[in-house]
Amino acid sequence: MIQGSNILGYERPLVIRISFATCIVVTVCLPLLGLITCVSISSLFHFEDATGTHCQVPNYLPSISASISLSPECHIWRFCIGLHSAPRLLVAFTYFRFYKSRFAARSSESALSCLNLTFSIFENLGLLLLTYVSSNETYFVHKEGFVLFIVSSLIYMLITCRLWRSIKKYSLSPEDAKSHLWKVRFLLLNVCFCAFAGFFYWKHNMYCESGSYTFFALFEYLVVFSNMAFHLTAVWDFKSREVVVISSFEDKDF
């Protein structure tokens, strides 16, 4: 919604209001659509390059790292992640202010909210690092960015579930209970998918079995999808809030 007017030479500020829930959905959908697009293009047009490994055994799905390292896939992925990073930080700081308003300054939850913000920023930085430094360019840096993203996201989700357990305990809102329940579910799914992805990655490198890397790629997708679903629960937490952009104008004399 856009508001603004001009009365007797005085131009009121232009006010743009956007539903915060809409902002969250768009923020999550950008990497989701980017990933689906990159994997699809890699599978259709760069299948051999995207699925080839040092083991030289048949694989049927490209890993995320392989998909976002090729061209034009890397440009699509970088565009989506770059565009989503600023709103992602906005959501992180909004959660931080939300927790600070809910918990006493000296409580353990208040300290956890600071850690929550820290690991949310680390998660975003890890995602940016693995995005803009591809595995084809500098594998070590790309790998460290991936590790930072995974570890930070798991800790962030764990702390978030702990904070929402406290919120649910003292809240009468069914939305808060639903948000906590689905956060816990997506956290557990994410942990399981990470474990399976790690197992098949180890199995592929250790035994070079046909199909092991395919299962690794599949569970890698599921890790990312469950992470996105976890962040999407913010729609329930901030459904009544708005993002307001105000542009001020100087007075005009006639």
Side-chain angles (χ1 to χ4, degrees), residues 58-70:
N59 291 301
Y60 308 101
L61 286 175
S63 68
I64 294 176
S65 294
S67 296
I68 65 175
S69 297
L70 302 170

Side-chain angles (χ1 to χ4, degrees), residues 23 49 57 73 96 107 132 154 172 174 178 210 223 225:
C23 181
D49 291 334
V57 293
E73 296 92 279
F96 178 69
S107 66
Y132 287 96
L154 285 172
L172 299 177
K178 180 171 72 171
S210 176
V223 167
F225 292 154

Side-chain angles (χ1 to χ4, degrees), residues 82-100:
L83 202 59
H84 115 295
S85 59
R88 177 79 171 270
L89 290 175
L90 174 63
V91 174
F93 280 98
T94 303
Y95 263 122
F96 178 69
R97 294 185 62 184
F98 171 77
Y99 295 140
K100 284 295 184 181

Side-chain angles (χ1 to χ4, degrees), residues 196-215:
F196 278 113
F199 169 73
F200 283 110
Y201 184 79
W202 168 82
K203 192 175 182 182
H204 169 74
N205 284 287
M206 183 64 66
Y207 301 108
C208 282
E209 291 181 352
S210 176
S212 291
Y213 199 77
T214 301
F215 279 110

